[in-house]
Amino acid sequence: MSVIRRAPRPARHAGAAFAWLFALFSVAVAVWMVLNSLKSTRAVFDDPWGVPTDPRWGNYARAWQASDFGIAALNTVMVVFGTAVATIALAAPAAYALSRLLSRWNTGLTVFFALGLGIPAQVMILPLYVMMNRLYLVDSLVGLWILYVATSMPFTVFFLTGFFGSLPRELEEAAALDGASPNRTFWQIMLPLARSGVVTALILNIIQHWGETLFALIFLQSEHKATLSIALLGFLQRMQYNGADWGGLFAGVCTVVLPLLVCYVWLGRRIIEGMTLGSLK
């Protein structure tokens, strides 16, 4: 019996072409940004598309010192990685319960978390500021960490719920026959099996909050508590008064952006595999 294969749809070709064009455009922008980070301000304007003939690696050192990137990087690492770990620790048990426990409330709670994905951050700013101010958490890295965890929960729970739902229930039944409690089954059996989804959610949370600017700009007011994105913004503002240093500015942008690009290139396949496995039943 012959197998009839369907011809590829034009829309699929168009989508693939658009994806490749977007990827090439992103790579070109990253390369252009790195090249200009090694130029002087005059060279940036005289030959913005050319390769630097005399690379100025000192731009990175100057941008690092002028923007206090050292303290900002430490603040960013503590808040972002603390957010990712805390979000996974809270979202994984919640997602497992929503995917396994049969209750009339489960559907409503899952929809509730899904609705949280559609709320713009700008809508939440004013009530969040009033609440955080009453709790004395404005201008606090702990307060920013709490905000990041709270805003990360809808996506993480929704994502992990689908991932836990794809795991076979027979494993839980076998564990119950062996006398394992639901709590032990989750921590020792189901959570290790969901490692790909958990790692994917962890990486996506890190990428989401590494360059976050809106919450950090509004809820952090002291310079020594600034994150990388706020330090870069402060460097840009000081350029307006102390003279333009476009080579240093490009170096500062590279300092903030390149770690994310390296992380995505290194772990991109794991992210895609985790999201694909979580979408299959």
Side-chain angles (χ1 to χ4, degrees):
M1 181 177 180
S2 61
V3 179
I4 300 176
R5 296 183 179 180
R6 295 182 179 179
R9 298 180 179 179
R12 184 178 303 174
H13 288 294
F18 177 78
W20 277 107
L21 288 175
F22 182 77
L24 291 175
F25 173 77
S26 300
V27 172
V29 170
V31 172
W32 175 76
M33 183 174 60
V34 172
L35 292 178
N36 280 282
S37 70
L38 301 175
K39 299 178 183 178
S40 63
T41 299
R42 184 178 182 84
V44 169
F45 287 95
D46 289 345
D47 188 14
W49 308 106
V51 178
T53 56
D54 182 20
R56 299 196 174 191
W57 298 100
N59 289 345
Y60 285 88
R62 188 168 62 254
W64 186 274
Q65 295 175 358
S67 303
D68 292 329
F69 273 164
I71 298 177
L74 181 60
N75 294 337
T76 301
V77 169
M78 290 192 302
V79 173
V80 170
F81 282 87
T83 297
V85 172
T87 301
I88 296 299
L90 294 174
Y96 176 71
L98 290 174
S99 66
R100 284 298 191 264
L101 299 181
L102 298 178
S103 171
R104 62 179 181 177
W105 299 102
N106 281 15
T107 302
L109 288 174
T110 304
V111 173
F112 177 77
F113 279 107
L115 290 176
L117 297 172
I119 302 177
Q122 294 82 355
V123 177
M124 302 184 291
I125 290 297
L126 184 57
L128 281 177
Y129 189 89
V130 173
M131 180 184 67
M132 299 292 284
N133 188 45
R134 291 178 179 177
L135 296 175
Y136 301 99
L137 290 175
V138 174
D139 195 25
S140 168
L141 291 176
V142 175
L144 184 65
W145 169 72
I146 293 174
L147 286 176
Y148 282 173
V149 173
T151 54
S152 300
M153 286 294 291
F155 167 76
T156 309
V157 171
F158 187 74
F159 174 75
L160 291 180
T161 298
F163 201 92
F164 279 114
S166 66
L167 298 179
R169 295 179 179 268
E170 289 77 8
L171 295 173
E172 296 165 300
E173 296 174 358
L177 291 176
D178 290 338
S181 64
N183 188 49
R184 182 181 177 185
T185 300
F186 169 71
W187 290 108
Q188 296 186 2
I189 299 177
M190 306 307 292
L191 187 60
L193 288 176
R195 180 175 54 189
S196 297
V198 171
V199 172
T200 301
L202 186 73
I203 297 171
L204 291 176
N205 274 285
I206 293 174
I207 293 175
Q208 176 186 358
H209 295 297
W210 181 265
E212 197 280 328
T213 304
L214 181 61
F215 284 148
L217 180 63
I218 293 177
F219 289 94
L220 296 179
Q221 301 168 357
S222 302
E223 290 187 4
H224 66 279
K225 296 179 181 179
T227 57
L228 280 173
S229 57
I230 302 304
L232 180 62
L233 182 61
F235 182 45
L236 175 61
Q237 293 174 344
R238 284 192 290 272
M239 278 180 50
Q240 299 175 356
Y241 300 99
N242 300 330
D245 182 11
W246 289 100
L249 179 61
F250 277 110
V253 174
C254 289
T255 302
V256 177
V257 174
L258 288 183
L260 285 183
L261 293 179
V262 172
C263 178
Y264 190 82
V265 170
W266 180 35
L267 300 172
R269 182 177 297 274
R270 180 179 290 273
I271 296 174
I272 295 172
E273 289 178 355
M275 297 186 70
T276 303
L277 290 173
S279 64
L280 298 177
K281 183 73 175 178

